[in-house]
Amino acid sequence: MASLTSSKPRNFGAYSHYATPCTRTHQIGALFLVVSTFFVTRLFDQWFSESNSLTPATIDLRRTSSNSVIATDNGILRWPERGYGSHLSLKIYVYDENEIDGLKELLYGRDGSVKTTACLKGQWGSQVKIHKLLLESKFRTIKKDEADLFFVPAYVKCVRMLGGLNDKEINQTYVKVLSQMPYFRRSGGRDHIFVFPSGAGAHLFRSWSTFINRSIILTPEADRTDKKDTTAFNTWKDIIIPGNVDDAMTKNGQPDVQPLPVSKRKYLANYLGRAQGKAGRLKLIELSKQYPDKLECPDLKFSGTEKFGRTTYFEHLRNAKFCLAPRGESSWTLRLYESFFVECVPVLLSDHAELPFQNVIDYAQVSIKWPSTRIGTELLDYLASISDKDIEGMISRGRKIRCLFVYGPDSAPCSAVKGILWELQRKVRHFQQSTETFWLHNGSFVNRELVQFSGWKPPMPLP
């Protein structure tokens, strides 16, 4: 056997006889090949990157297929059975304003001067409408011991705006109210529902994170991290609700302002609102000065000649094919919902906005969401490239789902409240517990002092 350390030269066959020595010419050729390959690769990468950039010329305008915008049975709204059940079956107890000391203050202010009719107006009217509609609902129960959920009525956004309570009073009153609710303590608030109808969300109650961080919050706003350290919205327990569109536009029959045919509209797009010093809104106002024939975007004010009345506002809103909805003080925007009732295609320019009823509405079939960082001529060029046929298709699909943005009774085939009830049904727990709730072998619930639940007396320490 040959030794591995043998000094005898190896024979590689024919290749060893014809090996060509490496000359300077070979070295120069190899260097040229490496350099040329590098530059060709860079040019290809640059071309590929540019061809994939988001420009109107390269956006694929072909509509993607979708089974349905919303599932219905003969026109009756149908929620997906998975996770929701086959039918609505829940019971909600609505606290009466007279049974808890402090509730009246949260509804009407410290001296009772805030009128419900005043709170019904504007984008915060949902706090009143949800309360009133639940009082009339067939899913309401007057027996606490059979309730799946408990609704705590309060109009604090309106009360605060009208001077009925200040922030400190709101906080103190909420704490007083909660300390008188044995069922709230039993569950740690998990089965209690609160409505906060504005961009501030649950932050209207300054101590929300201490006392109602486990409760179900109904709000149109999901993100306030621009002004707060944390958001009060939790995807897994809270529910996004639609903003409150003016009743004159959502009522049965003919709305006060009728939509215009797409071909008759004066503008490609519009934004009708105050600038509020917000970057996206300011960009739109400047863009409208460059393209006044395409984009209507007046800098509206709270009062004076630069303020639109209700009818004037909707008459302007309907006169564009696309209604732009940039963020303002917070990420949610009422214009998104208003757009469906004047039948212009909403263009959401608010990156952090959350939308209601996402398990039944395919928003890509009825609206557009565009990056707020790309507001400019590129946006107008893109919108101009969309055919009237596609626009009319989106408007037609929008007509089918806008009933979910109307605060009507749950007896209607489709309404915001019915949608909220379906979402609430997913939150129902058949067993309740908290850090201050204990149970014994016989099924009885007791507190830390071993007092049975029926004997819990207010005021109680809150969990």
Side-chain angles (χ1 to χ4, degrees):
M1 183 175 178
S3 171
L4 293 175
T5 59
S6 173
S7 59
K8 184 178 180 180
R10 296 182 184 180
N11 184 359
F12 291 97
Y15 295 101
S16 64
H17 297 291
Y18 300 102
T20 304
C22 180
T23 65
R24 185 172 181 81
T25 302
H26 290 103
Q27 293 174 341
I28 293 173
L31 179 62
F32 174 77
L33 180 62
V34 171
V35 172
S36 60
T37 301
F38 172 77
F39 281 107
V40 168
T41 303
R42 288 292 301 273
L43 287 172
F44 177 78
D45 287 345
Q46 183 177 359
W47 171 83
F48 185 80
S49 175
E50 290 176 354
S51 67
N52 281 279
S53 64
L54 188 61
T55 61
T58 59
I59 292 177
D60 188 353
L61 295 176
R62 294 171 297 177
R63 172 154 291 282
T64 56
S65 61
S66 176
N67 293 330
S68 177
V69 181
I70 188 169
T72 61
D73 285 327
N74 298 321
I76 305 299
L77 178 66
R78 188 181 78 237
W79 244 250
E81 185 168 340
R82 182 178 181 182
Y84 290 92
S86 60
H87 62 283
L88 278 173
S89 177
L90 74 166
K91 295 181 179 181
I92 300 176
Y93 181 85
V94 181
Y95 283 101
D96 185 87
E97 63 187 45
N98 295 307
E99 72 173 290
I100 303 290
D101 184 23
L103 264 187
K104 280 190 173 181
E105 285 89 334
L106 294 178
L107 291 164
Y108 314 117
R110 69 182 75 83
D111 57 3
S113 61
V114 176
K115 304 301 181 185
T116 302
T117 51
C119 294
L120 270 169
K121 299 176 181 178
Q123 58 180 296
W124 308 307
S126 56
Q127 60 192 342
V128 181
K129 290 181 177 180
I130 292 173
H131 178 206
K132 299 301 183 185
L133 290 166
L134 286 180
L135 287 174
E136 301 167 1
S137 174
K138 67 180 180 180
F139 300 103
R140 178 193 175 197
T141 179
I142 58 174
K143 298 179 180 179
K144 292 180 182 177
D145 58 355
E146 69 176 21
D148 298 307
L149 299 168
F150 297 80
F151 182 82
V152 182
Y155 308 155
V156 289
K157 177 61 180 180
C158 176
V159 167
R160 180 179 181 272
M161 293 294 291
L162 298 181
L165 292 174
N166 59 38
D167 289 342
K168 183 178 180 180
E169 290 171 323
I170 289 173
N171 201 74
Q172 291 173 339
T173 307
Y174 260 122
V175 174
K176 180 173 71 172
V177 165
L178 297 177
S179 69
Q180 300 172 69
M181 294 178 170
Y183 284 87
F184 182 88
R185 187 177 187 233
R186 182 187 68 168
S187 68
R190 289 175 175 87
D191 55 0
H192 280 57
I193 307 163
F194 298 82
V195 180
F196 295 99
S198 72
H203 290 284
L204 282 168
F205 176 20
R206 289 183 173 180
S207 298
W208 71 268
S209 61
T210 301
F211 298 109
I212 62 170
N213 63 328
R214 301 175 185 86
S215 300
I216 301 168
I217 294 172
L218 310 185
T219 177
E221 179 57 67
D223 181 80
R224 284 318 306 270
T225 52
D226 56 330
K227 290 189 174 182
K228 307 291 182 180
D229 293 335
T230 59
T231 179
F233 181 82
N234 183 309
T235 303
W236 302 108
K237 70 177 183 65
D238 301 327
I239 298 171
I240 293 292
I241 60 174
N244 179 47
V245 180
D246 194 291
D247 290 343
M249 296 301 296
T250 64
K251 63 184 180 183
N252 291 328
Q254 298 296 327
D256 283 9
V257 178
Q258 298 288 319
L260 294 173
V262 171
S263 60
K264 301 293 185 183
R265 302 186 188 188
K266 181 177 180 181
Y267 298 100
L268 172 67
N270 63 30
Y271 163 63
L272 307 176
R274 294 174 291 113
Q276 296 180 298
K278 304 305 176 184
R281 297 184 174 196
L282 292 171
K283 286 180 183 178
L284 290 174
I285 292 172
E286 289 304 310
L287 193 62
S288 69
K289 294 175 182 177
Q290 300 176 48
Y291 302 96
D293 295 334
K294 291 184 177 181
L295 177 61
E296 182 188 24
C297 193
D299 185 6
L300 299 179
K301 307 297 182 184
F302 267 126
S303 59
T305 57
E306 294 176 312
K307 172 181 169 62
F308 282 172
R310 178 180 58 81
T311 301
T312 303
Y313 171 77
F314 284 110
E315 286 176 343
H316 278 258
L317 198 65
R318 69 175 179 173
N319 209 15
K321 297 177 180 179
F322 299 95
C323 291
L324 308 183
R327 71 165 291 146
E329 288 292 339
S330 61
S331 58
W332 90 279
T333 165
L334 185 62
R335 284 167 197 82
L336 173 78
Y337 307 105
E338 292 173 332
S339 300
F340 287 101
F341 295 93
V342 295
E343 298 189 357
C344 64
V345 176
V347 180
L348 188 59
L349 302 172
S350 181
D351 302 348
H352 293 90
E354 286 282 344
L355 304 177
F357 313 132
Q358 293 181 35
N359 281 334
V360 292
I361 300 178
D362 180 354
Y363 282 95
Q365 299 293 315
V366 297
S367 65
I368 294 168
K369 184 180 180 183
W370 184 268
S372 62
T373 53
R374 301 189 78 120
I375 295 175
T377 56
E378 181 182 29
L379 169 60
L380 294 183
D381 290 342
Y382 165 65
L383 296 178
S385 70
I386 301 174
S387 69
D388 283 358
K389 180 180 178 181
D390 282 343
I391 294 171
E392 288 168 350
M394 296 183 79
I395 290 172
S396 176
R397 291 186 289 272
R399 291 190 195 107
K400 297 177 182 179
I401 58 94
R402 66 187 180 189
C403 55
L404 281 171
F405 307 145
V406 178
Y407 282 96
D410 57 57
S411 58
C414 173
S415 71
V417 166
K418 194 160 192 175
I420 291 169
L421 288 172
W422 274 109
E423 295 298 329
L424 285 172
Q425 183 154 285
R426 299 183 77 193
K427 315 296 182 182
V428 171
R429 298 167 180 255
H430 294 288
F431 185 82
Q432 302 297 340
Q433 70 166 91
S434 76
T435 55
E436 295 300 321
T437 302
F438 306 86
W439 53 89
L440 306 179
H441 77 286
N442 59 2
S444 62
F445 285 86
V446 297
N447 63 13
R448 196 171 291 275
E449 286 72 41
L450 303 183
V451 176
Q452 288 202 13
F453 176 69
S454 58
W456 294 7
K457 304 297 182 184
M460 296 164 292
L462 294 171

